[in-house]
Protein backbone atom coordinates (compact mmCIF):
# COMPACT_ATOMS: atom_id res chain seq x y z
CA UNK A 1 0.00 0.00 0.00
CA UNK A 2 1.18 3.50 -0.85
CA UNK A 3 0.21 5.94 1.90
CA UNK A 4 -1.16 9.18 0.45
CA UNK A 5 -1.71 12.63 1.96
CA UNK A 6 -3.59 15.20 -0.16
CA UNK A 7 -3.20 18.99 0.12
CA UNK A 8 -5.58 21.20 -1.89
CA UNK A 9 -7.37 24.36 -0.77
CA UNK A 10 -10.44 23.80 -2.98
CA UNK A 11 -12.89 21.49 -1.18
CA UNK A 12 -14.60 20.29 -4.36
CA UNK A 13 -11.31 19.41 -6.06
CA UNK A 14 -9.90 17.86 -2.89
CA UNK A 15 -12.95 15.68 -2.26
CA UNK A 16 -13.00 14.54 -5.88
CA UNK A 17 -9.33 13.64 -5.71
CA UNK A 18 -9.82 11.75 -2.45
CA UNK A 19 -12.69 9.70 -3.94
CA UNK A 20 -10.64 9.00 -7.06
CA UNK A 21 -7.62 7.78 -5.12
CA UNK A 22 -9.68 5.84 -2.57
CA UNK A 23 -11.02 3.67 -5.38
CA UNK A 24 -7.51 2.29 -5.95
CA UNK A 25 -6.90 -0.57 -3.51
CA UNK A 26 -3.12 -0.11 -3.78
CA UNK A 27 -3.39 3.36 -2.23
CA UNK A 28 -4.23 4.31 1.36
CA UNK A 29 -5.39 7.85 2.19
CA UNK A 30 -3.79 8.73 5.53
CA UNK A 31 -4.87 12.38 5.61
CA UNK A 32 -5.75 15.57 3.82
CA UNK A 33 -5.55 19.31 4.41
CA UNK A 34 -6.40 22.66 2.83
CA UNK A 35 -3.36 24.73 3.83
CA UNK A 36 0.26 24.59 4.90
CA UNK A 37 -0.67 25.19 8.53
CA UNK A 38 -3.25 22.41 8.61
CA UNK A 39 -0.89 20.02 6.82
CA UNK A 40 1.81 20.49 9.44
CA UNK A 41 -0.75 20.30 12.25
CA UNK A 42 -2.00 16.92 11.03
CA UNK A 43 1.51 15.57 10.52
CA UNK A 44 2.50 16.66 14.04
CA UNK A 45 -0.87 15.93 15.69
CA UNK A 46 -3.38 18.67 16.45
CA UNK A 47 -4.89 17.55 19.74
CA UNK A 48 -8.01 16.08 18.17
CA UNK A 49 -6.10 13.63 15.98
CA UNK A 50 -2.96 11.55 16.56
CA UNK A 51 0.17 12.59 14.68
CA UNK A 52 0.60 11.04 11.26
CA UNK A 53 4.33 11.70 11.48
CA UNK A 54 6.79 12.50 8.73
CA UNK A 55 7.41 8.80 8.15
CA UNK A 56 3.69 8.04 7.90
CA UNK A 57 3.36 9.40 4.36
CA UNK A 58 4.80 7.80 1.23
CA UNK A 59 3.53 10.35 -1.33
CA UNK A 60 2.29 13.86 -0.60
CA UNK A 61 -0.05 15.07 -3.36
CA UNK A 62 0.38 18.84 -3.21
CA UNK A 63 -1.49 21.50 -5.17
CA UNK A 64 0.88 24.29 -6.22
CA UNK A 65 -1.66 27.10 -5.71
CA UNK A 66 -2.99 27.16 -2.14
CA UNK A 67 -4.89 30.43 -2.34
CA UNK A 68 -2.79 33.04 -0.54
CA UNK A 69 0.14 30.60 -0.44
CA UNK A 70 1.95 28.34 -2.86
CA UNK A 71 3.58 24.96 -2.38
CA UNK A 72 7.19 26.15 -2.03
CA UNK A 73 7.19 27.02 1.72
CA UNK A 74 5.63 23.66 2.62
CA UNK A 75 8.10 21.69 0.52
CA UNK A 76 10.99 23.64 2.05
CA UNK A 77 9.73 23.05 5.60
CA UNK A 78 9.19 19.33 5.07
CA UNK A 79 12.60 18.86 3.48
CA UNK A 80 14.30 20.80 6.29
CA UNK A 81 12.56 18.50 8.78
CA UNK A 82 13.79 15.41 6.96
CA UNK A 83 10.56 14.27 5.32
CA UNK A 84 11.47 10.88 3.78
CA UNK A 85 8.48 10.55 1.43
CA UNK A 86 7.93 11.77 -2.11
CA UNK A 87 6.20 15.00 -3.08
CA UNK A 88 4.16 15.20 -6.28
CA UNK A 89 3.07 18.69 -7.29
CA UNK A 90 -0.34 18.78 -9.00
CA UNK A 91 -1.07 22.05 -10.78
CA UNK A 92 -3.04 23.87 -13.44
CA UNK A 93 0.00 26.08 -14.06
CA UNK A 94 3.03 27.59 -12.35
CA UNK A 95 5.84 30.01 -13.27
CA UNK A 96 9.04 28.48 -14.64
CA UNK A 97 11.07 30.02 -11.82
CA UNK A 98 8.86 28.27 -9.25
CA UNK A 99 9.04 24.98 -11.15
CA UNK A 100 12.85 25.23 -11.04
CA UNK A 101 12.76 26.08 -7.34
CA UNK A 102 10.50 23.12 -6.55
CA UNK A 103 12.85 20.83 -8.47
CA UNK A 104 15.83 22.32 -6.62
CA UNK A 105 14.38 21.76 -3.15
CA UNK A 106 13.45 18.18 -3.89
CA UNK A 107 9.97 17.46 -5.28
CA UNK A 108 9.69 14.14 -7.06
CA UNK A 109 7.43 15.31 -9.85
CA UNK A 110 5.17 17.94 -11.41
CA UNK A 111 1.83 16.73 -12.77
CA UNK A 112 -0.56 18.90 -14.81
CA UNK A 113 -4.27 18.73 -13.96
CA UNK A 114 -5.19 18.52 -17.64
CA UNK A 115 -4.10 14.88 -17.74
CA UNK A 116 -6.55 11.98 -17.14
CA UNK A 117 -6.93 10.22 -13.77
CA UNK A 118 -5.12 7.08 -14.92
CA UNK A 119 -2.02 9.19 -15.59
CA UNK A 120 -2.13 10.51 -12.03
CA UNK A 121 -2.36 6.97 -10.63
CA UNK A 122 0.63 5.99 -12.77
CA UNK A 123 2.65 9.03 -11.66
CA UNK A 124 1.91 8.39 -7.98
CA UNK A 125 3.14 4.82 -8.25
CA UNK A 126 6.23 5.81 -10.21
CA UNK A 127 7.34 8.56 -7.82
CA UNK A 128 6.65 6.19 -4.91
CA UNK A 129 9.06 3.78 -6.61
CA UNK A 130 11.74 6.49 -6.73
CA UNK A 131 11.32 8.00 -10.19
CA UNK A 132 11.65 11.72 -10.89
CA UNK A 133 8.85 12.88 -13.21
CA UNK A 134 8.03 16.21 -14.79
CA UNK A 135 5.16 17.02 -17.14
CA UNK A 136 6.65 17.17 -20.63
CA UNK A 137 4.90 20.48 -21.34
CA UNK A 138 6.78 22.03 -18.43
CA UNK A 139 9.95 20.30 -19.50
CA UNK A 140 9.78 21.93 -22.94
CA UNK A 141 8.91 25.29 -21.42
CA UNK A 142 11.81 25.08 -18.96
CA UNK A 143 14.22 24.10 -21.71
CA UNK A 144 13.10 27.05 -23.83
CA UNK A 145 13.33 29.45 -20.89
CA UNK A 146 16.90 28.34 -20.23
CA UNK A 147 18.10 29.52 -23.66
CA UNK A 148 18.97 33.01 -22.49
CA UNK A 149 20.64 31.92 -19.27
CA UNK A 150 24.36 31.82 -18.68
CA UNK A 151 26.12 28.67 -19.81
CA UNK A 152 28.11 26.50 -17.41
CA UNK A 153 31.87 26.57 -17.15
CA UNK A 154 31.88 22.80 -17.57
CA UNK A 155 30.51 21.66 -20.93
CA UNK A 156 27.88 18.94 -21.21
CA UNK A 157 28.69 16.13 -23.61
CA UNK A 158 26.04 14.72 -25.91
CA UNK A 159 25.90 11.66 -23.64
CA UNK A 160 25.33 13.95 -20.63
CA UNK A 161 22.41 15.60 -22.44
CA UNK A 162 20.89 12.23 -23.38
CA UNK A 163 21.03 11.09 -19.76
CA UNK A 164 19.54 14.35 -18.48
CA UNK A 165 16.63 14.11 -20.89
CA UNK A 166 15.91 10.52 -19.86
CA UNK A 167 16.02 11.51 -16.18
CA UNK A 168 13.41 14.15 -16.97
CA UNK A 169 11.29 11.45 -18.59
CA UNK A 170 11.44 9.44 -15.38
CA UNK A 171 13.73 6.69 -16.64
CA UNK A 172 15.58 4.64 -13.99
CA UNK A 173 19.24 3.71 -14.49
CA UNK A 174 18.35 0.31 -15.94
CA UNK A 175 16.16 1.87 -18.64
CA UNK A 176 18.76 4.54 -19.42
CA UNK A 177 21.39 1.83 -19.81
CA UNK A 178 19.13 -0.16 -22.17
CA UNK A 179 18.36 2.91 -24.28
CA UNK A 180 22.04 3.86 -24.55
CA UNK A 181 23.16 0.22 -24.94
CA UNK A 182 25.63 0.51 -22.08
CA UNK A 183 25.90 -1.09 -18.64
CA UNK A 184 24.15 0.26 -15.55
CA UNK A 185 27.57 0.84 -13.99
CA UNK A 186 28.44 3.10 -16.95
CA UNK A 187 25.25 5.10 -16.35
CA UNK A 188 26.07 5.41 -12.64
CA UNK A 189 29.55 6.63 -13.53
CA UNK A 190 28.08 9.21 -15.91
CA UNK A 191 25.70 10.41 -13.21
CA UNK A 192 28.53 10.76 -10.72
CA UNK A 193 30.38 12.81 -13.33
CA UNK A 194 27.33 15.05 -13.75
CA UNK A 195 27.00 15.46 -9.99
CA UNK A 196 30.65 16.48 -9.83
CA UNK A 197 30.25 18.98 -12.71
CA UNK A 198 27.23 20.66 -11.18
CA UNK A 199 28.03 20.34 -7.48
CA UNK A 200 24.69 18.71 -6.57
CA UNK A 201 23.69 15.42 -4.96
CA UNK A 202 20.22 14.50 -6.24
CA UNK A 203 18.62 13.92 -9.63
CA UNK A 204 16.13 16.73 -9.09
CA UNK A 205 18.87 19.21 -8.26
CA UNK A 206 20.86 18.00 -11.25
CA UNK A 207 17.97 18.65 -13.61
CA UNK A 208 17.33 22.09 -12.16
CA UNK A 209 20.98 23.16 -12.55
CA UNK A 210 21.22 21.71 -16.05
CA UNK A 211 18.08 23.56 -17.13
CA UNK A 212 19.32 26.83 -15.67
CA UNK A 213 22.69 26.44 -17.35
CA UNK A 214 21.38 25.31 -20.73
CA UNK A 215 22.54 21.74 -20.32
CA UNK A 216 19.51 20.04 -21.91
Amino acid sequence: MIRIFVVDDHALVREGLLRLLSADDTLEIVGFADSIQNTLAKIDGDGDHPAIGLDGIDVLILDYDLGTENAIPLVSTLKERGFPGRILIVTAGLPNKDALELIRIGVSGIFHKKHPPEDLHKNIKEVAAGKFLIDQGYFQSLVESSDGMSKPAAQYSERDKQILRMILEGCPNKEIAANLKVSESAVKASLQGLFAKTGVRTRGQLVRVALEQGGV
Side-chain angles (χ1 to χ4, degrees), residues 72-133:
I72 293 174
L74 179 56
V75 177
S76 296
T77 298
L78 291 175
K79 290 298 181 177
E80 287 169 2
R81 293 176 57 179
F83 176 62
R86 309 290 180 176
I87 300 175
L88 178 62
I89 300 295
V90 178
T91 179
L94 76 167
N96 286 342
K97 64 180 181 60
D98 287 356
L100 288 170
E101 178 64 10
L102 287 164
I103 292 169
R104 185 189 70 81
I105 59 181
V107 300
S108 296
I110 299 176
F111 180 86
H112 200 289
K113 290 181 178 179
K114 67 183 179 183
H115 295 304
E118 54 267 26
D119 286 1
L120 177 59
H121 283 251
K122 179 182 177 183
N123 273 238
I124 289 171
K125 292 171 183 179
E126 289 184 341
V127 299
K131 285 189 176 183
F132 173 76
L133 301 173

Side-chain angles (χ1 to χ4, degrees), residues 30-78:
V30 297
F32 59 88
D34 61 0
S35 68
I36 292 175
Q37 181 179 358
N38 288 341
T39 299
L40 296 175
K42 290 192 174 184
I43 289 174
D44 295 335
D46 58 8
D48 296 325
H49 303 91
I52 295 172
L54 291 173
D55 59 354
I57 302 168
D58 297 315
V59 179
L60 183 78
I61 308 300
L62 176 57
D63 188 17
Y64 164 75
D65 186 352
L66 298 172
T68 59
E69 308 170 301
N70 67 43
I72 293 174
L74 179 56
V75 177
S76 296
T77 298
L78 291 175

Side-chain angles (χ1 to χ4, degrees), residues 142-160:
L142 291 172
V143 170
E144 290 171 356
S145 71
S146 72
D147 288 346
M149 297 180 181
S150 60
K151 302 301 180 184
Q155 296 297 309
Y156 293 96
S157 68
E158 191 56 39
R159 174 58 55 84
D160 289 341

Side-chain angles (χ1 to χ4, degrees), residues 144-207:
E144 290 171 356
S145 71
S146 72
D147 288 346
M149 297 180 181
S150 60
K151 302 301 180 184
Q155 296 297 309
Y156 293 96
S157 68
E158 191 56 39
R159 174 58 55 84
D160 289 341
K161 292 178 181 180
Q162 289 176 319
I163 290 174
L164 286 167
R165 287 179 180 274
M166 282 186 276
I167 290 174
L168 273 169
E169 292 169 2
C171 299
N173 287 357
K174 184 176 182 179
E175 188 173 341
I176 294 173
N179 288 337
L180 296 178
K181 296 181 172 56
V182 298
S183 66
E184 283 190 63
S185 60
V187 173
K188 291 177 182 178
S190 294
L191 282 172
Q192 290 303 315
L194 283 166
F195 290 150
K197 283 183 182 181
T198 55
V200 301
R201 294 183 295 176
T202 70
R203 288 185 174 216
Q205 292 170 342
L206 175 62
V207 167

